[in-house]
Amino acid sequence: MEQYEPDRLSPAQVAAMRRSLRTGRAGLSRRSLLRASAGGALAAGGLGVLSGCGIPAAGNTQGGVSAEDHSKEEKTVSFSNWTEYMDVDDSGRAHPTLDAFTQRTGVKVKYTEDINDNTEFFGKIKPQLAAGQDTGRDIIVLTDWLAARLIRLGWVQKLDPSHLPNAFTHLSAQFRNPDWDPGRSYSYPWQGISTVIGYNKKALDGVEVRTLSDLLDNPKLKGRVGLLTEMRDTVGMTLLDMDKDPAKFAADDYDAAIARLQKAVDKGQVRRFTGNDYTSDLAKGDFAACLAWAGDLVQLKADNPDIEFLIPDSGYMTSSDNMLIPNKARHKTNAERLIDYYFEPKPAARLAAYINFVCPVDGVKDDLAEIDEDAANNPLILPDRAMQAKSRAFRSLSSEEETEFEEKFAKLTGA
């Protein structure tokens, strides 16, 4: 395998990662455990490691490297996932959907919750991947930016479509064609993560909010608006508000979005940039409106009738956590069977009822309603076709762009 020189992190990137770990996507609870963007959240020990050696720069490859598949004689599959990202029974020890898969197929799942953040986990498996060795894992779950990098490095295997009939049939349209894996040749989404506008009806006191421009410009909301410390979410929503596509924008568009946000900051419109701690501000009414993550709003709305959300006509941002099969995995066919299983409506519904993230599987509403009718009717969990059509993703960035864009965003937020 070709060797790649490691990326170097700028101070702005390191600061962004620390923010993400402390209060951003990496700091959220299970039902809104959103993944680190812009390089990922880092564990305390991970910052020093990454600053010193970095993540290898992405290069052009011809795809992953397969290994001899032992699925027939070894009825097992090793699945590494994030903590509290799987359904459990009342005892909190068993995973009903995994148990049902084993009962049906005879394939025993070795399920491990050994992913705490993207970069820390990558540090665990990087030596084996770089050396062309088996990681001991058949499925790993990574956030889109890191999934993209592993695909470009050629460190994950191409999936066999013949083993994934449910995944191909039931995958929601909004997740079908990310720019880093068009047509989902190497990955399938585990769950989706959406960024929308949340507001407190009582705090708004009759002020109409329909767009992000209302948050940034309406003088009646001065000092009562919150934006996110996650660059892709705040800038992505701003680009949409400016009629720019976050999947295709140019550097000049990014600069225009930063200038748009800077104008709002300078006139005192924005109270502060936050991670997940915006939830208390919104619940108390210190924020009349803010950018928010769907998983948080599901919880907030259940506890506070004044909390609502809106999807601007311009659209909203969505990212995803994704299942991939690393190179040299011993049980590729068994892994593909498990991936496909979670795109059947009943297992997908059971998972959605427990997690409350954006379900990437079409056709689960009836099964979900049998478990939790409120969840089945919640567009933050099951977006309808019209809402899915408004979903947008932030395009992949080069290492140089990531450094430049994070530095500009850090200056805007005062980080």
Side-chain angles (χ1 to χ4, degrees), residues 75 77 89 94-109 337-338 341-342:
K75 297 296 185 179
V77 61
D89 64 5
H95 301 293
T97 57
L98 290 177
D99 292 343
F101 173 79
T102 298
Q103 290 171 8
R104 180 199 298 182
T105 65
V107 176
K108 184 176 181 180
V109 182
R337 292 178 74 183
L338 184 57
Y341 167 75
Y342 277 105

Side-chain angles (χ1 to χ4, degrees), residues 30-31 84-99 111 113 350-351 353-355:
R30 171 179 57 77
R31 291 180 183 268
E84 299 185 271
Y85 214 13
M86 178 67 72
D87 60 298
V88 298
D89 64 5
D90 292 338
S91 73
R93 293 187 295 272
H95 301 293
T97 57
L98 290 177
D99 292 343
Y111 184 71
E113 295 182 338
R350 179 67 179 85
L351 189 65
Y354 184 78
I355 295 177

Side-chain angles (χ1 to χ4, degrees), residues 30 32 57 65-66 71 81 85 106 110 115 117 130 141 165-166 168 176 190 197 237 270 298 305 362 372 386 392 415:
R30 171 179 57 77
S32 55
V65 178
S66 62
S71 292
N81 204 350
Y85 214 13
K110 179 185 177 183
I115 306 179
D117 68 71
V141 178
N166 289 298
F168 179 81
R176 282 193 177 271
W190 177 247
I197 293 176
M237 291 292 282
V270 179
V298 172
D362 280 342
D372 185 338
R392 298 292 183 271

Side-chain angles (χ1 to χ4, degrees), residues 324-392:
L324 306 102
I325 301 176
N327 284 355
K328 299 293 184 178
R330 288 178 61 86
H331 311 107
K332 182 173 184 285
T333 298
N334 290 342
E336 289 168 335
R337 292 178 74 183
L338 184 57
I339 292 171
D340 194 59
Y341 167 75
Y342 277 105
F343 279 84
E344 295 179 19
K346 287 187 181 298
R350 179 67 179 85
L351 189 65
Y354 184 78
I355 295 177
N356 289 174
F357 276 65
V358 181
C359 180
V361 183
D362 280 342
V364 304
K365 186 168 185 176
D366 289 344
D367 291 295
L368 183 54
E370 293 181 3
I371 305 169
D372 185 338
E373 188 170 356
D374 289 340
N377 292 315
N378 191 330
L380 296 178
I381 299 173
L382 292 184
D384 59 22
R385 293 291 184 183
M387 183 170 169
Q388 287 184 28
K390 295 182 179 181
S391 171
R392 298 292 183 271

